[in-house]
Amino acid sequence: MSDSPPILDELRAMAVFATVVRSGSFAAGARALGLTRAVVSHHIRALEIRLGVPLAQRSTRSFSLTPAGEAFRVHCERLLDEAYDGIRGMELLRAEPSGEVRITCSHHFGNKRILPALLEFRRRYPAVRLHVAMNDSNVDLVQHGIELAVRAGPLADSSLVARRLVREPTMLCASPAYLRRYRMPVSAADLDQHRWVVYPPSQKTLTVRADGRDVQIAVRGDVVTDSAASRLAFVLAGDGIARLPAYDAAPLLAAGDLVQVLPEVETAPLEIFLVHSQRIGPSARLLRDFLLEGGG
């Protein structure tokens, strides 16, 4: 019987379980851990007894997870990743961080929010090389060798880790020239009759909240764009209404270049995520944590 406190035994068993899952079999997991297959089986059996549910269906060469095992796997892998991150984070403190990070983000949001943080990161960690790809399309991270991506959510790809970077209020805006020409809408229902600067191109409707209920608005206009910077330019030029994030709208509202349309109508916030694969290098983790902490 082990003299370790029960929680330490459970944490060890969770790390063993996560390693077996990632390795694909008990034998491969045992090799990765430098343990015998019997010891690995003992740890997982102890977990099953502790939890009161089977975690895996065993065979001689491989195994498959039960529904309970699939649910528990997420927690065990997170525990293992956090442990690796903690150890590598301490390793980074022993010497000046170096290496290379590839990061991608959109032109507009990247220039406004990400680029200033990257400049500060470079001042703090000058030995870390940065490859910054400004791209408004969602490129494949693995195919392009990119470790970090800044993307609007929610995300469909569950194989990626997504951590929320920004939750930005949004509002409906138009230029004074547009409102002189088409007049200010007086209710959410009026928005159906107005011209929009459509962004992204796939957008057909917009859901807003007015008088305590959700209202779906048809989004139609003569300008369709896949660029947030272009959207703002066309709105300023009077080509239509658009839902804009506060970081774009606030200074232009203060200057009188834009007018908020129906301030009482609520629009969903813009959520921006920092996305990466399950395993990333130490320099990418350093940049990830720097951005998540506010970029200095």
Side-chain angles (χ1 to χ4, degrees):
M1 181 179 294
S2 172
D3 294 329
S4 303
I7 187 61
L8 297 183
D9 292 336
E10 291 166 2
L11 291 173
R12 185 182 299 113
M14 289 173 71
V16 169
F17 180 61
T19 303
V20 168
V21 170
R22 286 179 171 173
S23 300
S25 70
F26 278 71
R31 287 194 298 271
L33 291 165
L35 301 174
T36 65
R37 191 180 186 282
V39 170
V40 166
S41 296
H42 168 76
H43 281 300
I44 295 179
R45 181 59 185 153
L47 265 183
E48 292 176 321
I49 293 171
R50 170 69 178 83
L51 298 172
V53 291
L55 297 175
Q57 301 291 340
R58 295 143 170 93
S59 67
T60 55
R61 295 188 177 182
S62 64
F63 75 105
S64 59
L65 295 179
T66 64
E70 187 64 40
F72 193 55
R73 169 191 67 82
V74 176
H75 302 287
C76 296
E77 290 190 330
R78 185 182 303 140
L79 171 75
L80 193 62
D81 287 340
E82 290 294 336
Y84 281 132
D85 285 352
I87 291 170
R88 291 192 176 109
M90 292 302 101
E91 291 172 348
L92 285 172
L93 293 179
R94 294 204 304 261
E96 182 182 17
S98 60
E100 179 178 292
V101 186
R102 294 179 177 270
I103 182 171
T104 182
C105 55
S106 69
H107 287 91
H108 190 62
F109 182 80
N111 282 322
K112 282 185 172 288
R113 289 292 185 86
I114 301 302
L115 185 56
L118 295 180
L119 294 172
E120 177 58 31
F121 180 84
R122 280 284 302 153
R123 283 190 288 270
R124 189 174 300 185
Y125 305 108
V128 177
R129 299 185 302 278
L130 295 180
H131 287 249
V132 183
M134 296 284 192
N135 195 320
D136 287 335
S137 61
N138 287 343
V139 299
D140 184 280
L141 302 191
V142 175
Q143 182 180 348
H144 291 83
I146 293 171
E147 292 180 282
L148 297 176
V150 179
R151 291 181 176 171
L155 303 174
D157 190 345
S158 61
S159 69
L160 299 175
V161 177
R163 304 196 182 188
R164 191 165 69 192
L165 189 63
V166 172
R167 192 173 193 269
E168 185 80 9
T170 66
M171 60 196 73
L172 301 179
C173 294
S175 72
Y178 174 87
L179 295 173
R180 283 194 298 270
R181 184 177 179 186
Y182 294 104
R183 297 186 180 181
M184 174 73 78
V186 297
S187 69
D190 285 349
L191 293 170
D192 266 328
Q193 309 306 316
H194 276 264
R195 297 171 182 266
W196 291 79
V197 175
V198 182
Y199 170 88
S202 60
Q203 185 177 38
K204 304 300 181 186
T205 62
L206 175 69
T207 301
V208 302
R209 190 158 186 82
D211 299 322
R213 63 187 183 90
D214 290 340
V215 180
Q216 195 169 72
I217 307 301
V219 175
R220 295 181 289 265
D222 296 326
V223 177
V224 179
T225 179
D226 64 355
S227 162
S230 296
R231 171 188 59 185
L232 181 59
F234 282 114
V235 173
L236 285 167
D239 283 292
I241 299 172
R243 168 178 164 257
L244 298 179
Y247 60 75
D248 272 342
L252 296 167
L253 292 171
D257 296 321
L258 287 179
V259 177
Q260 186 174 1
V261 173
L262 299 175
E264 70 278 10
V265 169
E266 298 177 32
T267 54
L270 173 66
E271 294 194 318
I272 302 291
F273 292 86
L274 191 59
V275 180
H276 57 82
S277 60
Q278 295 286 343
R279 301 295 298 275
I280 56 176
S283 297
R285 281 193 297 275
L286 184 67
L287 177 56
R288 175 199 65 188
D289 294 343
F290 181 83
L291 293 173
L292 290 171
E293 290 165 7

